[in-house]
Amino acid sequence: MVFWVMDYRDFDTELRRLRKEILVRLIGAFGSENFADEVEKMAKDVAVNFANGLGEPEKVRAEIHERTVAALGFSAEERGGEDIQKLADEALIRSENEEYPLTVLSAACNRCPAAHYESTALCRNCTAKYCMAACRFGAISMANGRSSIDAAKCKKCDQCRRSCPYGAIAKTVVPCQAQCPVDAIGKGESGKITIDFDRCISCGRCSVGCPFGAIAVKSQIVSVLRSMANGETIALYAPSWIGQHGSSGAKLRSALRKVGFSDSCEVALGAEFTAIEEAEDFRKHLDDGKPFMTTSCCAAYNEFREKHLKEINPYVSKAETPLFHTAKLLRRRRPKAILVFISPCFAKYREVRQNPNVDYVLNYEEIDALFTARSVDLSGCDEKTSERPCAKEAREFGLSGGVARSVQAAWKGDGSAVKPVVIDGLTKETINQLRSYVRENRCADGNLVEVMACAGGCAGGPATICSLKKSQPRIAEDAATGPSIAAVQLPAE
């Protein structure tokens, strides 16, 4: 369910500025004589700077404290009450990443009332009273010249809202709950939202949905800064990252070196392996008489099926993800380097935790803050590159439909045998669609099912900073400079 008309990334909101300010100041504090003191000072300064936009001073201080806890990489639920200086010192020596990437900021949560229907002042007390006629549960009555809804009787069937010619009945939602496709968001006794991590698939939809920014990611930025200061640190960037800044891949790679990375590599390199593996896997599925196969490169989808739809696993490609293949290559070539994945996605934090070849994750918001904190202007970066351009189809992995197109391009034989179906975002509706494929042992619309948890693909991920309208054509333009995947010679893993 999407309940905004425009892409939220088109707006320069107070919330986006706040998150970026904390990251920029935290990065600036790193390397100072006393990191812990500087972080504490940063939290106090930010609380003053954003006091007018966030409310009461005490609430603002509490919220900034929790946001700083998350920026240092800790759980606000578990560590939110601890001293910032203590946590800053601990962040400098921490060796293990958190198991789950998301955390709830209690001070930021607005404790929204539960989803319900209510009659508004737009009610005209019409003679037909369609709302009363449409309600099968006797939940609607007339009082004081307008309709009234009895919450105890209401079953939230939506018929009253649909029937009213004036649009006088409103459906209110809890935004984070409405966005979660697997019902992992609950509410505690105080009204604060909670995350059931046994159900959560780390898709990050809840963090995007909350207009108060009450769900944050536990950042690994301090660990990455420490790695860059101490030795060889290589950035592995997702194919969709090219669409975020409107700059060439060469300029972006130059910018990564300027902020402290030793080198960088595009994960589209690994996508070439994944595409060819999936094409081979797809042939095996068809040869074995299976009616369809789903792709396997989306981390949130992989977590979804393990937690909520294991029965689909026999229909899923066994191909490893592009990140897996890229990291495997880099680890063989640079065994002592620290590998950092630059990601649009929170589910990748979970994948990386299970991959010994990747050390840390930074998301697109964090990389943008790193550019700002270290005064890197993309327009002033050079465009020298000696890398072989990755395949066009591999660079399109970050777009909805891109994985399916890559399999088609890598397919050897009659192309009409490949009939793609694109699941453009995991929602309750598309989850039911996947369930029906398993239940009926068939996919009526095709046989190669690409599943992306985010609408628009990775370019629509929860940590992106650029709207799909802007990023999609940039990714497509960059991809067009690469050769066809059929013409690519893969390096030895």
Side-chain angles (χ1 to χ4, degrees):
M1 174 183 178
V2 178
F3 45 86
W4 48 75
V5 177
M6 297 184 69
D7 192 320
Y8 75 97
R9 286 157 291 207
D10 282 330
F11 300 104
D12 182 24
T13 65
E14 184 88 343
L15 177 59
R16 290 187 70 176
R17 290 193 293 273
L18 171 61
R19 287 200 300 240
K20 184 170 182 177
E21 178 74 8
I22 289 173
L23 286 169
V24 169
R25 293 286 299 272
L26 185 68
I27 295 165
F30 185 84
S32 60
E33 289 186 7
N34 194 316
F35 177 63
D37 285 348
E38 288 299 314
V39 172
E40 184 182 47
K41 181 178 183 300
M42 174 273 289
K44 292 177 179 177
D45 289 347
V46 173
V48 171
N49 294 343
F50 284 83
N52 293 334
L54 297 180
E56 295 295 324
E58 186 175 343
K59 176 185 179 300
V60 173
R61 286 192 293 271
E63 179 176 337
I64 300 304
H65 181 95
E66 289 186 344
R67 290 193 184 281
T68 305
V69 170
L72 288 168
F74 300 102
S75 165
E77 295 98 326
E78 298 174 3
R79 312 289 300 272
E82 296 184 27
D83 179 70
I84 284 293
Q85 290 180 304
K86 172 192 170 187
L87 293 176
D89 283 334
E90 188 175 332
L92 289 174
I93 59 173
R94 184 180 49 216
S95 59
E96 187 174 359
N97 300 323
E98 294 270 339
E99 181 177 5
Y100 298 104
L102 298 175
T103 185
V104 177
L105 310 177
S106 177
C109 180
N110 196 49
R111 289 152 175 79
C112 304
H116 65 283
Y117 286 80
E118 63 181 48
S119 178
T120 72
L122 293 175
C123 179
R124 302 299 298 274
N125 191 20
C126 63
T127 303
K129 296 180 175 53
Y130 293 124
C131 58
M132 291 181 67
C135 181
R136 294 174 293 146
F137 308 103
I140 299 182
S141 59
M142 303 303 294
N144 301 318
R146 59 187 280 189
S147 59
S148 176
I149 301 175
D150 185 339
K153 294 180 179 179
C154 177
K155 304 298 181 185
K156 301 181 177 65
C157 68
D158 202 47
Q159 293 305 306
C160 59
R161 186 184 66 83
R162 291 172 179 267
S163 68
C164 178
Y166 295 105
I169 295 177
K171 177 185 179 181
T172 68
V173 299
V174 179
C176 56
Q177 283 185 324
Q179 287 290 308
C180 180
V182 292
D183 297 323
I185 305 294
K187 290 177 79 66
E189 291 183 5
S190 68
K192 186 192 81 171
I193 62 106
T194 59
I195 301 175
D196 181 350
F197 289 110
D198 289 334
R199 297 190 62 82
C200 177
I201 61 174
S202 306
C203 68
R205 197 83 52 80
C206 55
S207 69
V208 175
C210 177
F212 296 93
I215 300 172
V217 69
K218 303 167 193 170
S219 178
Q220 297 174 14
I221 187 70
V222 175
S223 296
V224 174
L225 293 171
R226 183 185 65 206
S227 298
M228 289 194 297
N230 293 336
E232 185 181 24
T233 306
I234 302 174
L236 285 60
Y237 58 90
S240 62
W241 186 53
I242 292 296
Q244 298 297 299
H245 296 278
S247 292
S248 69
K251 280 183 177 291
L252 288 167
R253 288 191 290 274
S254 174
L256 289 171
R257 289 193 297 273
K258 286 189 174 186
V259 297
F261 286 100
S262 310
D263 202 350
S264 62
C265 178
E266 56 180 317
V267 172
L269 176 64
E272 295 175 350
F273 287 87
T274 299
I276 291 170
E277 279 188 4
E278 292 213 341
E280 292 172 351
D281 233 3
F282 183 55
R283 186 182 298 281
K284 291 176 185 176
H285 274 69
L286 295 186
D287 290 346
D288 291 343
K290 289 185 178 168
F292 69 92
M293 183 190 84
T294 83
T295 56
S296 60
C297 59
C298 174
Y301 170 56
N302 291 337
E303 193 159 353
F304 160 76
R305 59 188 177 84
E306 289 304 319
K307 289 184 176 180
H308 300 281
L309 194 61
K310 285 188 176 181
E311 54 268 37
I312 204 171
N313 286 342
Y315 302 92
V316 179
S317 169
K318 292 181 172 59
E320 298 287 1
T321 68
L323 176 59
F324 175 91
H325 285 295
T326 309
K328 183 179 178 182
L329 278 168
L330 263 293
R331 183 59 69 201
R332 180 171 59 82
R333 295 173 182 175
R334 316 276 277 272
K336 295 183 179 181
I338 297 295
L339 303 186
V340 180
F341 179 53
I342 299 176
S343 174
C345 167
F346 297 149
K348 283 293 185 182
Y349 287 71
R350 295 275 290 158
E351 181 183 325
V352 163
R353 186 177 165 84
Q354 297 160 14
N355 185 341
N357 287 330
V358 188
D359 299 285
Y360 302 112
V361 179
L362 288 186
N363 62 54
Y364 292 175
E365 282 193 341
E366 291 165 335
I367 286 291
D368 183 55
L370 188 56
F371 286 167
T372 300
R374 298 201 163 169
S375 303
V376 172
D377 180 3
L378 288 170
S379 64
C381 293
D382 65 63
E383 294 196 72
K384 295 178 183 177
T385 180
S386 58
E387 294 184 0
R388 164 181 75 79
C390 289
K392 172 184 182 296
E393 296 82 6
R395 286 179 166 179
E396 290 181 334
F397 254 59
L399 298 177
S400 180
V403 180
R405 286 193 295 274
S406 76
V407 175
Q408 283 182 298
W411 177 258
K412 297 176 181 177
D414 181 6
S416 65
V418 185
K419 300 172 184 176
V421 178
V422 177
I423 302 294
D424 188 21
L426 283 178
T427 64
K428 287 183 168 61
E429 291 76 17
T430 57
I431 286 172
N432 286 335
Q433 189 177 336
L434 289 169
R435 290 188 190 282
S436 73
Y437 295 164
V438 177
R439 185 174 60 250
E440 298 169 12
N441 192 35
R442 63 189 286 267
C443 173
D445 300 317
N447 55 16
L448 175 65
V449 183
E450 177 193 297
V451 186
M452 288 290 194
C454 297
C458 303
T464 53
I465 58 173
C466 179
S467 68
L468 286 170
K469 182 179 179 180
K470 294 176 182 176
S471 65
Q472 286 174 330
R474 292 171 180 169
I475 295 168
E477 181 181 357
D478 177 72
T481 64
S484 167
I485 199 165
V488 163
Q489 180 68 42
L490 294 181
E493 278 193 295

